[in-house]
Amino acid sequence: MSAIERHSIGEHNFLTGSPSDVILDIFCHLAIADLLAVRCTCRRLSWLSTLKVLWLEILQRDIVAHALPMPSYCLPLGMLSANQVECLVRHLYQVNRNVWRPSEPYYRTIHLPSNRPITWVRLVLGQWVLIASSDTSSSIIALWHLSSLLQVGRESTVSPVAQAFLDGPVEQGLVQVHRYHGVTIALCLKKRIPCISVMTIENLGQTAAFRQLTTIPDASHLRFLRGFYIGVAFSQNISIPSVHNWRTGDVDYLQTIPDLKGGYIDMAARSNWIAAVSRMHLHIYILDFLGSGRCKFWRGLNMPIAMSSACFDEGSVSVVPSVDEESEKLYLCVGNRRGIHIYEVVCRPLDDHLELIPVWTHNLGLVAQKHESLTVQPRFGASPHVITWLRDCVDLSFLPTFVAARIPTPDSVVGTGDVIEISDPNLPSLYCQPVRDFDEARGVAIFGNAFGELALIDFSGVAGRSQEILESCFQPLSFPPSFGCDLLPTEPVHCVFAPPFPYCGGDLYDEHKEYLFELWREHEPENIPEGWDTDWELWGGW
């Protein structure tokens, strides 16, 4: 035996013969890839590398210390096993590398064709997907298991967990998850007389079904959903914002005179106050959620910049927190032709204090031209630390682009890879009136458009057994038994094919449409479902 071999064996014996706490301390300084490599050396080191205490340290070192997004719907770490904590840490680390890599994001695209325009999509608790597909007179709302959609192409058939038919096209929607008490869904139906349809999902034994809770007539432009309260910007087709208690039917109008400039762009609710933003102002209303439920105007601020769009960080899917988890922090994102601006709304009614604090700005680098039309549509991700928007320019200078940015926090170090752009010609669902949702912690984005083109983008690459373990780390979506209300119909209704609905953007110039046709023919995606390359001819007639 050579001296080198004896020296190698001596080092190996020293490591394996050391106390467990010493080895764990060494493991805490290893990269995840190196730790997994050490696991292949011997049984003792392999066992030590699977301990929960070790992976909790790595979670603190690689995820928490770098302010990487943690799923808000994750179960408490104390409830997770060592295997679950390891799977969660490895998933979050891999998603961060794939999404925010310096060169370009790594992802996998899954095409899911539909025979109706996709008008609303939402990711729920990292495990479920709600999809609304609509024509001019009806719509389908369906609940899908995310893992089954990620297996499209690997499995022969995929079916929704539940679906129902509605008597009007879905324009907007909000979802609220009650811990261990099911889910509440509010959908804005754009009918001749618009309304808000409030529903839930219940357990029917072997299946699940959508059940109608109530309908709020003459209300549109859905803005927030919190408990039994729903905020809308339009009442009786005029821009008078109101707050509805969908359980009792009580209505409280925030204003008595219509806003001639379009009303509130977005609203958000906290424990005892409501924030509402218009194109010119930020207004705060005091609300007694637990008592009378009446609203009273408190204070207002002039917005520091002109805006074309805005959103609060309350998100389209909210998990009702317990009292000790309640956060009064609120972030506001406003967008215009020049850039994206993030503000923190500091509201302390007891101290008579209201302030907008600038947090982050991203310059779009565009100069407004005479015939330029830029669609920004900012939206927060699953956490207030990620913002996404869409860029679509009529001057034909770039492809429709999905942009995601990670907002710096006091504990994070922002580098050049904190803004990503996806303008892939193989992702046609970005083109005509796209709707989308992005869960940065789960590593999944979903896109749909007015031609029924639906696509999932998977940044994680998790599959098989690892995906099952990962989903077991998340809060389950419970389906309670019957509420005694009416089930929504599950029989198909007549589908009226018409121009894409709803179209809420500006006027499209003929040269823009012609350019998109030529672009589609030039960069026709490969191996796409049948029909995706023919729908564009219909747009020509439109």
Side-chain angles (χ1 to χ4, degrees):
M1 182 180 295
S2 66
I4 295 180
E5 290 174 331
R6 289 195 301 271
H7 180 69
S8 177
I9 293 176
E11 284 187 337
H12 178 74
N13 290 336
F14 167 77
L15 184 59
T16 57
S18 299
S20 297
D21 56 346
V22 174
I23 299 177
L24 288 175
D25 187 58
I26 296 174
F27 283 179
C28 288
H29 293 81
L30 295 181
I32 292 180
D34 296 332
L35 183 61
L36 297 179
V38 170
R39 180 175 293 180
C40 302
T41 57
C42 72
R43 291 183 179 179
R44 182 167 185 248
L45 296 185
S46 177
W47 172 73
L48 288 173
S49 69
T50 62
L51 294 181
K52 181 177 180 178
V53 63
L54 172 63
W55 286 100
L56 288 175
E57 284 291 330
I58 297 176
L59 175 68
Q60 179 67 34
R61 182 195 70 187
D62 290 350
I63 307 299
V64 177
H66 291 83
L68 300 184
M70 278 281 291
S72 59
Y73 43 81
C74 185
L75 293 172
L77 296 178
M79 297 177 58
L80 302 183
S81 66
N83 194 21
Q84 288 174 314
V85 175
E86 177 185 344
C87 184
L88 178 65
V89 173
R90 292 173 62 178
H91 164 77
L92 296 175
Y93 182 77
Q94 189 63 39
V95 166
N96 178 68
R97 291 190 59 186
N98 290 345
V99 176
W100 309 107
R101 59 198 305 171
S103 55
E104 62 182 24
Y106 168 80
Y107 57 89
R108 177 174 69 104
T109 303
I110 303 165
H111 300 294
L112 308 165
S114 170
N115 60 358
R116 297 185 187 215
I118 306 298
T119 55
W120 181 71
V121 292
R122 282 301 172 264
L123 296 163
V124 183
L125 299 181
Q127 307 160 76
W128 304 92
V129 184
L130 283 165
I131 300 174
S133 52
S134 311
D135 56 47
T136 55
S137 61
S138 62
S139 56
I140 302 174
I141 178 70
L143 176 70
W144 297 80
H145 202 290
L146 178 59
S147 61
S148 66
L149 294 181
L150 293 174
Q151 297 300 318
V152 169
R154 301 172 184 171
E155 297 181 356
S156 56
T157 58
V158 178
S159 301
V161 176
Q163 72 174 12
F165 292 84
L166 307 173
D167 60 353
V170 174
E171 183 181 30
Q172 294 173 286
L174 293 174
V175 180
Q176 181 176 247
V177 177
H178 304 262
R179 291 184 175 174
Y180 315 112
H181 296 288
V183 59
T184 303
I185 305 167
L187 299 178
C188 181
L189 303 184
K190 192 172 184 180
K191 304 191 290 185
R192 185 178 65 86
I193 300 178
C195 67
I196 304 295
S197 179
V198 185
M199 64 192 70
T200 187
I201 304 173
E202 70 169 33
N203 185 3
L204 297 181
Q206 300 297 323
T207 61
F210 288 90
R211 185 173 288 277
Q212 183 82 39
L213 295 176
T214 189
T215 298
I216 303 175
D218 285 335
S220 61
H221 296 72
L222 190 61
R223 293 298 181 250
F224 77 80
L225 169 63
R226 181 188 177 89
F228 300 129
Y229 292 92
I230 292 178
V232 299
F234 273 56
S235 301
Q236 300 178 357
N237 251 354
I238 55 178
S239 56
I240 294 181
S242 58
V243 176
H244 298 253
N245 185 318
W246 62 260
R247 193 168 193 179
T248 64
D250 295 335
V251 184
D252 195 13
Y253 295 98
L254 303 184
Q255 297 178 359
T256 57
I257 301 176
D259 184 350
L260 301 180
K261 295 184 181 295
Y264 289 139
I265 303 175
D266 200 12
M267 300 164 66
R270 286 299 184 262
S271 61
N272 63 345
W273 51 275
I274 294 175
V277 61
S278 65
R279 297 186 184 278
M280 304 291 292
H281 307 284
L282 171 69
H283 291 162
I284 302 295
Y285 296 85
I286 303 300
L287 175 60
D288 182 11
F289 276 113
L290 302 178
S292 64
R294 309 303 294 179
C295 299
K296 179 181 179 181
F297 178 77
W298 176 57
R299 288 189 62 178
L301 289 176
N302 293 327
M303 292 302 299
I305 63 172
M307 71 178 81
S308 59
S309 54
C311 67
F312 289 104
D313 74 324
E314 187 146 288
S316 55
V317 178
S318 58
V319 178
V320 177
S322 59
V323 175
D324 57 341
E325 293 174 324
E326 181 69 62
S327 173
E328 292 300 303
K329 273 196 172 183
L330 183 66
Y331 292 92
L332 171 64
C333 174
V334 299
N336 55 26
R337 293 174 180 268
R338 307 288 178 153
I340 302 290
H341 311 271
I342 308 291
Y343 298 91
E344 181 182 351
V345 180
V346 180
C347 178
R348 295 193 295 269
L350 294 179
D351 300 331
D352 196 31
H353 181 75
L354 177 62
E355 183 182 6
L356 276 178
I357 301 178
V359 175
W360 184 77
T361 296
H362 178 74
N363 186 4
L364 294 179
L366 297 174
V367 178
Q369 303 295 333
K370 182 178 180 180
H371 298 296
E372 180 183 286
S373 176
L374 177 65
T375 302
V376 178
Q377 301 178 21
R379 179 177 298 144
F380 284 92
S383 74
H385 304 301
V386 172
I387 189 76
T388 68
W389 64 90
L390 298 175
R391 294 173 58 193
D392 187 7
C393 193
V394 169
D395 68 2
L396 317 181
S397 59
F398 53 79
L399 294 172
T401 305
F402 168 74
V403 187
R406 185 165 56 186
I407 302 169
T409 64
D411 300 325
S412 65
V413 178
V414 179
T416 58
D418 290 309
V419 177
I420 63 167
E421 297 186 358
I422 297 178
S423 56
D424 190 345
N426 286 309
L427 194 62
S429 51
L430 280 175
Y431 279 80
C432 180
Q433 288 306 293
V435 293
R436 91 278 184 185
D437 199 14
F438 178 45
D439 187 337
E440 66 278 4
R442 180 61 178 86
V444 173
I446 185 169
F447 302 89
N449 72 5
F451 288 140
E453 296 166 346
L454 188 69
L456 273 173
I457 288 186
D458 179 21
F459 294 98
S460 66
V462 176
R465 177 60 179 161
S466 296
Q467 183 167 270
E468 296 178 8
I469 298 174
L470 178 64
E471 291 191 352
S472 69
C473 301
F474 303 149
Q475 174 188 330
L477 182 61
S478 60
F479 300 141
S482 175
F483 282 89
C485 305
D486 295 331
L487 286 175
L488 290 169
T490 58
E491 296 297 323
V493 295
H494 179 62
C495 177
V496 180
F497 190 87
F501 177 89
Y503 181 73
C504 303
D507 294 334
L508 291 175
Y509 296 93
D510 291 337
E511 61 267 25
H512 188 203
K513 289 191 278 188
E514 292 174 2
Y515 169 74
L516 287 178
F517 301 150
E518 295 301 324
L519 184 67
W520 177 259
R521 297 185 182 101
E522 180 182 352
H523 300 285
E524 183 174 337
E526 300 176 357
N527 302 321
I528 62 174
E530 182 179 357
W532 280 32
D533 56 348
T534 59
D535 290 338
W536 292 92
E537 301 298 333
L538 299 172
W539 200 10
W542 178 49

